[in-house]
């Protein structure tokens, strides 16, 4: 939480390992609390940690999306043509979800941001200003931000699971989960 978000390989690697470790530790603690039927403790801990995690994800997003050219200082730049074969629209949406500057945009503003980014890449100077190395760096940024958004989504879904366990007044979260002998399939947890 204390490292300054910046695009420097060693810092990014160390931060990523720390952030993932933090998420795993939080998820593990929450699951243990839920297995022991301590729903309120799990929910309180998750609420606190999810807010902290959200702040970290937003800080990294702000830092890594910021670009010298204001037309490209948006998660929607990843939807432009240079990234079409590398970054799916779903990934752009997930990155947008942790980008504070993009979260509050309405549909017209989103359309304008996408259009501005597309036009920037069509300009005559684009190949010189945005060489293949720059494109590859942007793809790496998108992958990193997407991994942060996925971790945040997992933490948030665990919050919802804790709510479900509490609403059903379960003695243990194991009561609602398939046991070890259940076949490996997709299971849906019924919501009330």
């Amino acid at each position: 939480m204390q490292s300054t978000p910046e695009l420097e390989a060693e810092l990014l690697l160390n931060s990523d390992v720390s952030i993932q470790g933090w998420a795993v530790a939080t998820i593990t603690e929450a699951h243990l609390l839920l297995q022991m039927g301590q729903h309120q403790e799990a929910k309180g801990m998750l609420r606190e940690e999810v807010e902290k995690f959200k702040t970290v994800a937003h800080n990294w997003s702000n830092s890594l999306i910021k670009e010298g050219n204001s037309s490209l200082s948006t998660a929607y730049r990843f939807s432009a043509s240079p990234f079409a074969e590398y970054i799916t629209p779903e990934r752009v949406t997930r990155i947008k979800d942790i980008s504070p500057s993009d979260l509050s945009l309405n549909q017209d503003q989103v359309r304008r941001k996408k259009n501005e980014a597309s036009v920037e890449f069509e300009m005559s100077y684009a190949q010189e200003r945005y060489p293949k190395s720059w494109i590859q760096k942007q793809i790496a940024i998108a992958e990193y931000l997407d991994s942060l958004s996925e971790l945040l989504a997992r933490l948030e879904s665990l919050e919802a699971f804790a709510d479900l366990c509490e609403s059903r007044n379960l003695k243990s979260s194991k009561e609602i989960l398939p046991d070890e002998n259940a076949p490996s399939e997709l299971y849906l947890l019924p919501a009330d």
Side-chain angles (χ1 to χ4, degrees):
M1 283 179 56
Q2 295 179 359
S3 67
T4 306
E6 58 185 80
L7 193 57
E8 199 278 315
E10 187 176 346
L11 175 70
L12 197 58
L13 177 64
N14 290 335
S15 296
D16 188 43
V17 169
S18 298
I19 289 169
Q20 287 187 32
W22 171 28
V24 168
T26 300
I27 290 167
T28 301
E29 183 178 350
H31 273 295
L32 289 172
L33 288 169
L34 291 171
Q35 284 178 6
M36 295 185 300
Q38 297 180 7
H39 309 121
Q40 286 295 320
E41 292 84 354
K43 286 174 58 174
M45 185 270 299
L46 282 168
R47 186 173 32 257
E48 187 176 314
E49 294 304 311
V50 166
E51 280 308 308
K52 289 178 190 175
F53 199 91
K54 220 180 260 187
T55 300
V56 169
H58 288 175
N59 289 342
W60 277 93
S61 175
N62 278 337
S63 180
L64 297 180
I65 288 177
K66 193 178 298 176
E67 186 61 41
N69 181 334
S70 63
S71 297
L72 300 180
S73 288
T74 176
Y76 293 108
R77 74 173 176 243
F78 299 124
S79 63
S81 60
F83 308 109
E85 67 182 271
Y86 306 105
I87 303 173
T88 64
E90 294 81 14
R91 179 171 271 181
V92 174
T93 299
R94 289 190 301 264
I95 295 168
K96 179 268 307 174
D97 287 344
I98 62 168
S99 172
S101 61
D102 292 312
L103 270 174
S104 61
L105 300 177
N106 63 37
Q107 286 184 338
D108 288 337
Q109 292 168 320
V110 168
R111 194 173 13 261
R112 191 171 338 120
K113 290 278 187 188
K114 287 180 177 181
N115 197 25
E116 287 175 5
S118 292
V119 167
E120 180 66 18
F121 290 119
E122 291 171 8
M123 299 301 283
S124 60
Y125 55 74
Q127 281 190 332
E128 185 179 314
R129 189 177 286 180
Y130 310 111
K132 189 171 181 107
S133 60
W134 185 88
I135 299 293
Q136 290 169 337
K137 186 188 286 187
Q138 298 307 303
I139 293 167
I141 287 171
E143 288 177 9
Y144 180 73
L145 292 175
D146 190 28
S147 71
L148 278 180
S149 74
E150 286 180 26
L151 283 173
L152 178 58
R154 287 178 189 207
L155 287 168
E156 289 172 333
S157 69
L158 189 52
E159 272 188 302
F161 181 66
D163 286 337
L164 179 64
C165 289
E166 183 182 46
S167 72
R168 296 221 169 164
N169 200 26
L170 301 177
K171 291 182 177 154
S172 172
S173 59
K174 288 183 176 185
E175 292 177 31
I176 200 169
L177 296 173
D179 65 22
E180 298 126 18
N181 300 325
S184 298
E185 296 179 11
L186 180 63
Y187 291 90
L188 299 177
L189 300 176
D192 292 331

